[in-house]
């Protein structure tokens, strides 16, 4: 079974530029998560989708971050404009359904550096 | 609010030493508790979990017991190996109107031969 795919793996941009990350979850997984992991910290949930609907986006900085999951499959996370403090690894994860009974499978992450 | 606290790292142990990584939590209701591991250069993966009080999760020689009275979920292993060197994250899922996921800050473990 193929795992969670993310691209690009690395991205360097200047502040005020925009950037987009792509995630393709495991086939058949209804729930998709985007996390931000700043160096030395644990992952922070940015947004959680159930199929193509948003379940939780309470920690998403909506003035600059946006995410969509068209057709309930792959997803895109965008930052516009980027700030220095957005430098982090952006992790995508998926699970069969939401809830503690279902394991989250993580992708390799996209490392973003904002200069 | 809901939160997870872990002991600060880095933790450095000799091979075959006993490992404990402390994790305590604050949560409304009765969360499910998890340990995730991130090996160097790899993505996070689930190590073990416990979904109710007094449950013990175990995997690959690691164990953790859900202690409701002390709101803790400490990770233990009797004899660590060099291959256990990684970052370990404690996490919880608490049921609200949806399942809210919260990770701890992580504890880095280095095992030396």
């Amino acid at each position: 079974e193929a795992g969670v795919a993310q691209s690009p793996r690395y991205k360097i941009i200047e502040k005020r530029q925009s950037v987009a990350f792509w995630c393709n979850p495991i086939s058949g997984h209804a729930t998709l998560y985007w996390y931000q992991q700043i160096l030395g910290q644990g992952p922070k949930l940015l947004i959680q989708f159930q199929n193509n609907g948003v379940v939780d986006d309470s920690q998403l900085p909506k003035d600059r971050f946006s995410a969509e999951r068209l057709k309930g499959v792959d997803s895109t996370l965008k930052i516009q404009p980027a700030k220095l403090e957005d430098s982090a690894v952006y992790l995508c994860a998926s699970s069969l359904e939401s809830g503690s009974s279902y394991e989250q499978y993580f992708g390799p992450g996209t490392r973003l550096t904002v200069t | 609010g809901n939160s997870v606290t872990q002991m600060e790292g880095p933790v450095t142990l000799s091979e075959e030493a006993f490992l404990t990584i402390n994790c305590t939590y604050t949560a409304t209701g009765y969360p499910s508790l998890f340990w995730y591991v991130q090996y160097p250069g790899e993505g996070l993966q689930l190590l073990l979990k416990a979904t109710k009080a007094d449950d013990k999760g175990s995997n690959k020689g690691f164990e953790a017991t859900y202690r409701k009275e002390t709101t803790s979920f400490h990770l233990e292993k009797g004899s660590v190996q060099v291959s256990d060197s990684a970052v370990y994250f404690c996490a919880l899922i608490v049921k609200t109107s949806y399942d809210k996921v919260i990770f701890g800050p992580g504890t880095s473990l280095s095992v030396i031969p």
Side-chain angles (χ1 to χ4, degrees):
Chain A
E1 164 181 273
V4 176
Q6 290 186 249
S7 67
R9 292 294 310 277
Y10 305 92
K11 189 74 177 178
I12 300 174
I13 61 172
E14 295 182 352
K15 60 184 178 184
R16 291 187 289 274
Q17 287 186 322
S18 62
V19 64
F21 312 128
W22 175 81
C23 172
N24 190 24
I26 292 173
S27 177
H29 280 197
T31 309
L32 186 147
Y33 309 81
W34 282 104
Y35 292 90
Q36 180 192 58
Q37 186 176 17
I38 292 172
L39 187 65
Q41 299 182 19
K44 182 180 85 171
L45 181 68
L46 293 176
I47 189 166
Q48 177 182 340
F49 291 95
Q50 181 70 17
N51 296 307
N52 60 350
V54 175
V55 173
D56 180 8
D57 63 356
S58 58
Q59 298 194 94
L60 187 74
K62 298 181 187 65
D63 58 335
R64 297 184 301 105
F65 286 64
S66 64
E68 59 183 10
R69 190 183 184 198
L70 299 176
K71 300 181 182 178
V73 183
D74 55 353
S75 175
T76 303
L77 177 70
K78 296 179 182 177
I79 307 174
Q80 184 179 11
K83 293 185 175 181
L84 295 176
E85 59 260 36
D86 298 332
S87 294
V89 176
Y90 290 84
L91 298 168
C92 180
S94 71
S95 61
L96 198 59
E97 294 288 343
S98 68
S100 58
S101 300
Y102 301 97
E103 180 176 348
Q104 291 189 38
Y105 294 84
F106 284 81
T110 296
R111 183 176 298 277
L112 173 67
T113 302
V114 182
T115 63
Chain B
N2 303 302
S3 66
V4 176
T5 303
Q6 291 181 232
M7 64 186 285
E8 285 196 25
V11 173
T12 303
L13 295 173
S14 297
E15 209 165 18
E16 299 183 3
F18 184 86
L19 168 71
T20 300
I21 300 178
N22 291 338
C23 170
T24 57
Y25 67 89
T26 303
T28 53
Y30 301 99
S32 296
L33 302 172
F34 304 80
W35 278 101
Y36 281 82
V37 59
Q38 188 170 32
Y39 297 104
E42 298 184 18
L44 276 109
Q45 52 188 277
L46 179 65
L47 181 60
L48 54 84
K49 71 177 186 181
T51 57
K52 61 183 188 296
D54 300 324
D55 266 4
K56 178 185 284 188
S58 61
N59 186 24
K60 298 182 181 179
F62 290 89
E63 294 183 339
T65 301
Y66 188 142
R67 301 288 188 199
K68 181 170 172 290
E69 63 277 10
T70 54
T71 62
S72 65
F73 193 55
H74 304 322
L75 183 68
E76 296 181 336
K77 187 175 186 183
S79 175
V80 293
Q81 306 300 312
V82 171
S83 56
D84 294 326
S85 297
V87 181
Y88 293 82
F89 295 92
C90 186
L92 64 82
I93 292 180
V94 61
K95 187 79 174 178
T96 58
S97 56
Y98 54 89
D99 294 294
K100 191 163 185 70
V101 183
I102 297 169
F103 278 81
T107 302
S108 176
L109 170 67
S110 292
V111 180
I112 53 177

